[in-house]
Amino acid sequence: MDAPEEPLPPVIYTMENKPIVTCAGDQNLFTSIYPTLSQQLPREPMEWRRGIFYNYWSFFFVSNHVPITSSCQYIFIACLINFRLQKLVKIFNFLIFDISDWSYGRAPKMIHLESNFVQFKEELLPKDGNKALLTFPFLHIYWTECCDTEVYKAAVKDDLTKWQNVLKAHSSVDWLIVVVENDARKKNKTNILPRTSIVDKIRNDFCNKQSDRCVVLSDPLKDSSRTQESWNAFLTKLRTLLLMSFTKNLGKFEDDMRTLREKRTEPGWSFCEYFMVQEELAFVFEMLQQFEDALVQYDELDALFSQYVVNFGAGDGANWLTFFCQPVKSWNGLILRKPIDMDKRELIQRQEATLLDLRSYLFSRQCTLLLFLQRPWEVAQRALELLHSCVQELKLLEVSVPPGALDCWVFLSCLEVLQRIEGCCDRAQMDSNIAHTVGLWSYATEKLKSLGYLCGLASEKGPNSEDLKRTVDLLAGLGAERPETANTAQSPYKKLKEALSSVEAFEKHYLDLSHATIEMYTSIGRIRSAKFVGKDLAEFYMRKKSPQKAELYLQGALKNYLAEGWALPVTHTRKQLAECQKHLGQIENYLQTSSLLASDCHLTDEERKYFCQEILNFASQQTDSPGHKIVLPMHSFAQLKSLRFDPSNAVVHVGGVLSVEITLWSQMPVPIHVEQIAANVHFSIEKNNHRKTAEWLTKHRTSNGIITFPQEPAPFPASQNSLPALELSEMSERSPSDHSLHSTGIICKNVHLLLRRQESGSSLDVPSGLALEDGAHALRCSRVTLEPGPNKVLFRTQAREPGTYTLRQLCASVGPVWFVLPHVYPIVQYDVYSQEPQLHVEPLTDSLLAGIPQKVKFTVTTGHYTVKNGDSLQVSNAEAMLILCHAENRAVIYSNTGEKSSDASLRVQSSGRVTSISLPAAPAYHLIEFELDVLSPPSAPAARGNSDQPAQRGARWSCPEKPTASHCMVTTDHKLSIDCPWSIYSTVIALTFSVPFQTTHSLLSAGTRKYIQICVQNLSELDFRLSDSSLVDTGGGADLQLVPLNTQSQQRVHSRQSVFFVWELKWTREPPPALHCRFSVRFTPASEEQLSVSLQPYTYEFQVENFFTLYKVKAEIFPPLGMEYCKTGSLCSLEVSITRLADLLEVDKDEALTESDEYFTTKLMYEVGDNSSNWAVCGKSSGVLSMPVAAQATHRVHMEVMPLFAGHLPFPDVRLFKYLPHHSAHSSQLDADSWIENDSLSVDKHVDDAVDSSSVKSRGCVHSAASTEHRGLPMPRLQAFPPGQVFNSSTGMQVFVIPSKEDHVLEVSVT
């Protein structure tokens, strides 16, 4: 759009009307005061507080016109359609949310009062029925400067009386009497009364009940403080009376207006009459510079009229609407350069205005008020809503409009609004608020395009005679240009007249508007709207036969629609683009667009078939270059839905046959005969590929062999460059020996496509972005007919070279047209392997048990080796393990798919340590499976000492997944060396056997009698039968006898359970210091009745030392004297007797042994304690004694104990230790008795774990070892007796304790 030759000056119109105030009395006096009064009155603002609003909801629900039913909902929906809802919301925001204090009515406002002072005439007073507020006198003032009583009585009083009578006759109560006091006149008059007497007379005569209606103005023309105070009081009174008059008269006017509006349901009600009444109220608000209130009045009129139009469209119209349904004869657009368009106002007043006249006048008034409020951008927003709603209202009212007339009116109105806003804002403001005005630019462009199409200005041949006649009629309807724009070079009138004058002028104006609109939309980020205007521009270029210019805009619009997912605009734009490409001769692009349209479900079947036939017609043509190929994307032709491998694991050996069945969904509307469908395959040999077996490859494939492909998104047109998708796969490297992971990573398999050089020019053979691969490996299927919908296509190939084959592309050729799926995702691969022969040996159970036959499975994977008759496995095993031979052993042969091929008998021969296994003949890539029984000896390693723990020497423990205490089995490993016929190297395999039993032994004592107890625990999951148990002394002593106490010859031991065996030791003379024993027992599985082989017994060897009883300890508790039973809280006597049962033995010869004249003695230490806290030991609880080493030597110790609980209490614990002296020079000089009598002595007992560190304690003072060493005392040692050397006969005994009678709480200990 061309810039104007000269900028329009900013013009802001104001209302010249002011509230009328009449002046009676001395006119010369008022004339002298008027200049000062007119300046002082508007200087100070006044707070104006009005009454509450009436009910504005009546605008929306009209009784007897719109029933409160679903029709009401239709009204609001229609308002939304007609762009009126936003304006209604603004009205309510003002009416409701701007009210701050409901208790006082509306929100108060500060206004500056101005008045138009006129001479009082009776003709100015309003008559009945006159609703004009602009000519209404709001206040009447009588001016006088009379200071003479005679003059007052003679003339002034009569004049005042006549003035008041006239006001009363017209019911006017807003008046004021002003008495002006002048000092000069008082000096000239000698016989005058004081000033107050004249004022008092006037007040008494005329202001009996309203004394404030008479004010005094002193020396108004002087400059003194007294004069200023007088002016201030007078102006305050004048402003107050004016505001009171405004409030009262406006309230009465609003009541009358409401009464008139409530009569709108009556037949004779006229909207135009009501319009003039409410506009009068708007004029008053504008006169008071309350532009927001004035704008609300016009918005209410706008909403009321819109409601009636919507009601008319719903079939419920008013009679007065027929005045606005007259045909449109003038379409000169909006007039916004005058504050009031008096011509259109008179048409409304005479009820001769059309709908466009009413809307134009109403919007011009709203525009003027919005500009006064400095809201020009709202003008643009409201203008766009108005133009759209007027178009809809003309349709609802069925107004006759000549073709193109409405387009002219909208175009002129858009430019008028834009120029009006430009006249009020500078260029910087316009540029920063493009978002508010770009809608008008776009609407004007759209209407100018419609006018150009209507008048034949956009066709290639130009307008014809009918178009010229139509153009003349449209220009005639514009009328003459308005005077206010006649001197403007770029007025809307001139622009439209020039644009319709010729083809060149129209093209210039339309292109200027389109480019300006696109630039504006782009600058504010509304790309979709810019592309929409560009699409209209492309349509214009197509009409002008300029497809090369239209293509760019169509491509841009299509790109935007595709990005945002607009399906229908995409289809429509593609149709236009196909036509453009066909005119330009872009064969490849046209065929691609045709394929997209042929598969578009938004088109009709006839349209789809047309574009499909376009492709088939080109494919059937004979081309000049036979090798020329047109490569198109496949997603529009057909979609790959699924793929199925046979075999399902997609793994085949060299020479095997692989079948690939794909499901193609044809999107063409007719059957298509395809010459060839090819799947290009990429072959790769990965590192360590020779190590991959069929089992390893199968783990990395789908179980059912079916791969489902997601729906492919339609890419943007093929002319746009696009990189292929990444094809990533994992890569790992493992150790050849133990198969442990060395390194791992991710590799890109199509890096050659991603990093290839992009050609500068596009090739005619291959569209940009698509590459047709022609590799040596491809799966092909010829002469296929693709029906609309799903189709099955089968490929078969024979594997020749081992490696990984990846499907890269899928191609379908229809003549020279090739439809290509450039990348298959998810990645589809099948593997061809060449496997080395392998041997696997594994047990059939979780663990092999020693002592019973166990089955081991041998699996021979033939790989590329063919097993011939006579091939055998040579197994070299250890002597301890046996391979059992059975005549019924058979081998089963399976194919690589897991299907059973055949079975054959297995011949096994043993010769010494070598076992020969003859293999049946089997072809390559098959499996040979057979099972053999192996047997390992069950003996457990030997144990030492008198411990109850299991044997550990040379043992390895094997625990289950959830190990518990004593549930770990001893394991032994047996290695097998196997020589295979396909290798010169031996295969070493280790088999681990677990001993099913865990055995412990313990020494039991009963005085001097000794017993050995053997505990056999079954740790396996099987049940066993135990028999022939025996315990022998391997030392060969003839004086020692082991007497079994087991009554049953066979016993059954269940899983996780134990069996106990007991033997009594008997001897005739002194027993040896150590006893070497071997326990053996035969066992068989309980589930098997009879085994074909003889099983070895389970043996367990152990040693028992120092098992002879040396000392007997006995404790007795006596109640207090005079009592039969012990009582809680009472001291009882505890007697401990220690008796030697044997003479001097070899085990007694240690450091504690002391030789005297008559016998040997040794030092012992006793300790009495109670870990269960049932007894309190009073006094010394431990001591050291010298014990003669002689049979029946006895030592007694007495002490006092106190029971803490009632009931049968166990005896306190009595422990006995060897007391070994300290090895130091100082300790040898000390007397032994001093050690015995030293109660506070603390000794170190770090000699054995069996001795409790807290067992030696006393209720006296206990000193630490550190304090003893500080005094230089030596530290003796304690040594615990081995099990069996000390027999405590009081163990398990209890004493009865009765409760004390004084206790209120009875505590009973039950053990």
PDB file of all heavy atoms in Angstrom, residues 700-719:
ATOM      1  N   HIS A 700      18.459 -63.269  20.893  1.00  0.00           N
ATOM      2  CA  HIS A 700      18.362 -61.867  20.508  1.00  0.00           C
ATOM      3  C   HIS A 700      17.300 -61.658  19.436  1.00  0.00           C
ATOM      4  O   HIS A 700      17.328 -60.665  18.717  1.00  0.00           O
ATOM      5  CB  HIS A 700      19.714 -61.359  20.002  1.00  0.00           C
ATOM      6  CG  HIS A 700      20.777 -61.369  21.057  1.00  0.00           C
ATOM      7  ND1 HIS A 700      21.370 -62.526  21.487  1.00  0.00           N
ATOM      8  CD2 HIS A 700      21.332 -60.361  21.773  1.00  0.00           C
ATOM      9  CE1 HIS A 700      22.276 -62.243  22.413  1.00  0.00           C
ATOM     10  NE2 HIS A 700      22.264 -60.934  22.612  1.00  0.00           N
ATOM     11  N   ARG A 701      16.362 -62.549  19.295  1.00  0.00           N
ATOM     12  CA  ARG A 701      15.315 -62.429  18.293  1.00  0.00           C
ATOM     13  C   ARG A 701      13.948 -62.555  18.962  1.00  0.00           C
ATOM     14  O   ARG A 701      13.828 -63.051  20.081  1.00  0.00           O
ATOM     15  CB  ARG A 701      15.463 -63.521  17.209  1.00  0.00           C
ATOM     16  CG  ARG A 701      16.736 -63.378  16.396  1.00  0.00           C
ATOM     17  CD  ARG A 701      16.661 -62.162  15.474  1.00  0.00           C
ATOM     18  NE  ARG A 701      17.890 -62.033  14.677  1.00  0.00           N
ATOM     19  CZ  ARG A 701      18.903 -61.272  15.004  1.00  0.00           C
ATOM     20  NH1 ARG A 701      18.850 -60.574  16.129  1.00  0.00           N
ATOM     21  NH2 ARG A 701      19.958 -61.185  14.233  1.00  0.00           N
ATOM     22  N   THR A 702      12.930 -62.120  18.238  1.00  0.00           N
ATOM     23  CA  THR A 702      11.574 -62.258  18.759  1.00  0.00           C
ATOM     24  C   THR A 702      11.171 -63.724  18.768  1.00  0.00           C
ATOM     25  O   THR A 702      11.608 -64.510  17.915  1.00  0.00           O
ATOM     26  CB  THR A 702      10.597 -61.450  17.887  1.00  0.00           C
ATOM     27  OG1 THR A 702      10.711 -61.905  16.528  1.00  0.00           O
ATOM     28  CG2 THR A 702      10.931 -59.971  17.935  1.00  0.00           C
ATOM     29  N   SER A 703      10.330 -64.059  19.702  1.00  0.00           N
ATOM     30  CA  SER A 703       9.975 -65.467  19.879  1.00  0.00           C
ATOM     31  C   SER A 703       9.077 -65.967  18.755  1.00  0.00           C
ATOM     32  O   SER A 703       9.196 -67.100  18.308  1.00  0.00           O
ATOM     33  CB  SER A 703       9.283 -65.649  21.231  1.00  0.00           C
ATOM     34  OG  SER A 703       8.126 -64.821  21.288  1.00  0.00           O
ATOM     35  N   ASN A 704       8.148 -65.113  18.267  1.00  0.00           N
ATOM     36  CA  ASN A 704       7.221 -65.571  17.238  1.00  0.00           C
ATOM     37  C   ASN A 704       7.647 -65.193  15.833  1.00  0.00           C
ATOM     38  O   ASN A 704       6.980 -65.568  14.862  1.00  0.00           O
ATOM     39  CB  ASN A 704       5.821 -65.014  17.507  1.00  0.00           C
ATOM     40  CG  ASN A 704       5.829 -63.495  17.620  1.00  0.00           C
ATOM     41  OD1 ASN A 704       6.875 -62.852  17.457  1.00  0.00           O
ATOM     42  ND2 ASN A 704       4.691 -62.923  17.916  1.00  0.00           N
ATOM     43  N   GLY A 705       8.713 -64.441  15.680  1.00  0.00           N
ATOM     44  CA  GLY A 705       9.197 -64.078  14.353  1.00  0.00           C
ATOM     45  C   GLY A 705       8.388 -63.012  13.664  1.00  0.00           C
ATOM     46  O   GLY A 705       8.584 -62.773  12.468  1.00  0.00           O
ATOM     47  N   ILE A 706       7.469 -62.321  14.355  1.00  0.00           N
ATOM     48  CA  ILE A 706       6.614 -61.295  13.753  1.00  0.00           C
ATOM     49  C   ILE A 706       7.053 -59.926  14.264  1.00  0.00           C
ATOM     50  O   ILE A 706       7.203 -59.729  15.466  1.00  0.00           O
ATOM     51  CB  ILE A 706       5.130 -61.546  14.085  1.00  0.00           C
ATOM     52  CG1 ILE A 706       4.688 -62.888  13.509  1.00  0.00           C
ATOM     53  CG2 ILE A 706       4.257 -60.425  13.538  1.00  0.00           C
ATOM     54  CD1 ILE A 706       3.264 -63.249  13.866  1.00  0.00           C
ATOM     55  N   ILE A 707       7.255 -59.022  13.346  1.00  0.00           N
ATOM     56  CA  ILE A 707       7.652 -57.650  13.682  1.00  0.00           C
ATOM     57  C   ILE A 707       6.558 -56.723  13.171  1.00  0.00           C
ATOM     58  O   ILE A 707       6.184 -56.780  12.000  1.00  0.00           O
ATOM     59  CB  ILE A 707       9.013 -57.286  13.066  1.00  0.00           C
ATOM     60  CG1 ILE A 707      10.100 -58.239  13.571  1.00  0.00           C
ATOM     61  CG2 ILE A 707       9.387 -55.846  13.377  1.00  0.00           C
ATOM     62  CD1 ILE A 707      11.443 -58.024  12.915  1.00  0.00           C
ATOM     63  N   THR A 708       6.035 -55.882  14.045  1.00  0.00           N
ATOM     64  CA  THR A 708       4.992 -54.925  13.683  1.00  0.00           C
ATOM     65  C   THR A 708       5.604 -53.546  13.550  1.00  0.00           C
ATOM     66  O   THR A 708       6.393 -53.118  14.405  1.00  0.00           O
ATOM     67  CB  THR A 708       3.882 -54.910  14.746  1.00  0.00           C
ATOM     68  OG1 THR A 708       3.371 -56.236  14.900  1.00  0.00           O
ATOM     69  CG2 THR A 708       2.745 -53.998  14.331  1.00  0.00           C
ATOM     70  N   PHE A 709       5.232 -52.835  12.496  1.00  0.00           N
ATOM     71  CA  PHE A 709       5.802 -51.519  12.218  1.00  0.00           C
ATOM     72  C   PHE A 709       4.782 -50.445  12.556  1.00  0.00           C
ATOM     73  O   PHE A 709       3.587 -50.593  12.262  1.00  0.00           O
ATOM     74  CB  PHE A 709       6.188 -51.402  10.740  1.00  0.00           C
ATOM     75  CG  PHE A 709       7.232 -52.400  10.314  1.00  0.00           C
ATOM     76  CD1 PHE A 709       6.873 -53.628   9.800  1.00  0.00           C
ATOM     77  CD2 PHE A 709       8.575 -52.110  10.456  1.00  0.00           C
ATOM     78  CE1 PHE A 709       7.821 -54.551   9.425  1.00  0.00           C
ATOM     79  CE2 PHE A 709       9.541 -53.021  10.074  1.00  0.00           C
ATOM     80  CZ  PHE A 709       9.161 -54.253   9.565  1.00  0.00           C
ATOM     81  N   PRO A 710       5.233 -49.374  13.188  1.00  0.00           N
ATOM     82  CA  PRO A 710       4.306 -48.262  13.477  1.00  0.00           C
ATOM     83  C   PRO A 710       3.926 -47.540  12.209  1.00  0.00           C
ATOM     84  O   PRO A 710       4.600 -47.644  11.178  1.00  0.00           O
ATOM     85  CB  PRO A 710       5.122 -47.366  14.424  1.00  0.00           C
ATOM     86  CG  PRO A 710       6.547 -47.648  14.063  1.00  0.00           C
ATOM     87  CD  PRO A 710       6.596 -49.102  13.659  1.00  0.00           C
ATOM     88  N   GLN A 711       2.812 -46.816  12.298  1.00  0.00           N
ATOM     89  CA  GLN A 711       2.362 -46.056  11.139  1.00  0.00           C
ATOM     90  C   GLN A 711       3.349 -44.947  10.832  1.00  0.00           C
ATOM     91  O   GLN A 711       3.762 -44.195  11.714  1.00  0.00           O
ATOM     92  CB  GLN A 711       0.974 -45.462  11.396  1.00  0.00           C
ATOM     93  CG  GLN A 711       0.388 -44.745  10.182  1.00  0.00           C
ATOM     94  CD  GLN A 711      -1.022 -44.260  10.445  1.00  0.00           C
ATOM     95  OE1 GLN A 711      -1.544 -44.452  11.533  1.00  0.00           O
ATOM     96  NE2 GLN A 711      -1.632 -43.650   9.459  1.00  0.00           N
ATOM     97  N   GLU A 712       3.721 -44.860   9.592  1.00  0.00           N
ATOM     98  CA  GLU A 712       4.748 -43.892   9.203  1.00  0.00           C
ATOM     99  C   GLU A 712       4.123 -42.525   9.028  1.00  0.00           C
ATOM    100  O   GLU A 712       3.108 -42.372   8.346  1.00  0.00           O
ATOM    101  CB  GLU A 712       5.411 -44.317   7.888  1.00  0.00           C
ATOM    102  CG  GLU A 712       6.103 -45.666   7.967  1.00  0.00           C
ATOM    103  CD  GLU A 712       6.683 -46.061   6.631  1.00  0.00           C
ATOM    104  OE1 GLU A 712       6.614 -45.236   5.718  1.00  0.00           O
ATOM    105  OE2 GLU A 712       7.179 -47.185   6.522  1.00  0.00           O
ATOM    106  N   PRO A 713       4.721 -41.502   9.631  1.00  0.00           N
ATOM    107  CA  PRO A 713       4.207 -40.147   9.407  1.00  0.00           C
ATOM    108  C   PRO A 713       4.533 -39.671   8.007  1.00  0.00           C
ATOM    109  O   PRO A 713       5.570 -40.007   7.441  1.00  0.00           O
ATOM    110  CB  PRO A 713       4.937 -39.313  10.470  1.00  0.00           C
ATOM    111  CG  PRO A 713       6.203 -40.066  10.715  1.00  0.00           C
ATOM    112  CD  PRO A 713       5.873 -41.524  10.536  1.00  0.00           C
ATOM    113  N   ALA A 714       3.617 -38.927   7.444  1.00  0.00           N
ATOM    114  CA  ALA A 714       3.846 -38.403   6.090  1.00  0.00           C
ATOM    115  C   ALA A 714       4.871 -37.287   6.146  1.00  0.00           C
ATOM    116  O   ALA A 714       4.670 -36.287   6.822  1.00  0.00           O
ATOM    117  CB  ALA A 714       2.538 -37.876   5.508  1.00  0.00           C
ATOM    118  N   PRO A 715       5.986 -37.422   5.481  1.00  0.00           N
ATOM    119  CA  PRO A 715       7.005 -36.370   5.514  1.00  0.00           C
ATOM    120  C   PRO A 715       6.601 -35.177   4.686  1.00  0.00           C
ATOM    121  O   PRO A 715       5.643 -35.225   3.924  1.00  0.00           O
ATOM    122  CB  PRO A 715       8.237 -37.069   4.937  1.00  0.00           C
ATOM    123  CG  PRO A 715       7.678 -38.102   4.019  1.00  0.00           C
ATOM    124  CD  PRO A 715       6.368 -38.546   4.616  1.00  0.00           C
ATOM    125  N   PHE A 716       7.358 -34.095   4.822  1.00  0.00           N
ATOM    126  CA  PHE A 716       7.118 -32.914   4.024  1.00  0.00           C
ATOM    127  C   PHE A 716       7.561 -33.188   2.592  1.00  0.00           C
ATOM    128  O   PHE A 716       8.341 -34.111   2.352  1.00  0.00           O
ATOM    129  CB  PHE A 716       7.871 -31.728   4.628  1.00  0.00           C
ATOM    130  CG  PHE A 716       7.541 -30.443   3.949  1.00  0.00           C
ATOM    131  CD1 PHE A 716       6.246 -29.960   3.979  1.00  0.00           C
ATOM    132  CD2 PHE A 716       8.506 -29.742   3.279  1.00  0.00           C
ATOM    133  CE1 PHE A 716       5.943 -28.785   3.347  1.00  0.00           C
ATOM    134  CE2 PHE A 716       8.192 -28.565   2.651  1.00  0.00           C
ATOM    135  CZ  PHE A 716       6.911 -28.078   2.684  1.00  0.00           C
ATOM    136  N   PRO A 717       7.062 -32.446   1.614  1.00  0.00           N
ATOM    137  CA  PRO A 717       7.307 -32.735   0.200  1.00  0.00           C
ATOM    138  C   PRO A 717       8.736 -33.129  -0.110  1.00  0.00           C
ATOM    139  O   PRO A 717       9.681 -32.696   0.522  1.00  0.00           O
ATOM    140  CB  PRO A 717       6.935 -31.417  -0.476  1.00  0.00           C
ATOM    141  CG  PRO A 717       5.890 -30.854   0.397  1.00  0.00           C
ATOM    142  CD  PRO A 717       6.209 -31.290   1.793  1.00  0.00           C
ATOM    143  N   ALA A 718       8.864 -33.961  -1.141  1.00  0.00           N
ATOM    144  CA  ALA A 718      10.150 -34.575  -1.442  1.00  0.00           C
ATOM    145  C   ALA A 718      11.206 -33.576  -1.868  1.00  0.00           C
ATOM    146  O   ALA A 718      12.380 -33.907  -1.898  1.00  0.00           O
ATOM    147  CB  ALA A 718       9.968 -35.615  -2.555  1.00  0.00           C
ATOM    148  N   SER A 719      10.798 -32.359  -2.210  1.00  0.00           N
ATOM    149  CA  SER A 719      11.797 -31.388  -2.622  1.00  0.00           C
ATOM    150  C   SER A 719      12.643 -30.897  -1.457  1.00  0.00           C
ATOM    151  O   SER A 719      13.666 -30.259  -1.648  1.00  0.00           O
ATOM    152  CB  SER A 719      11.109 -30.181  -3.287  1.00  0.00           C
ATOM    153  OG  SER A 719      10.215 -29.587  -2.382  1.00  0.00           O
TER     154      SER A 719
END
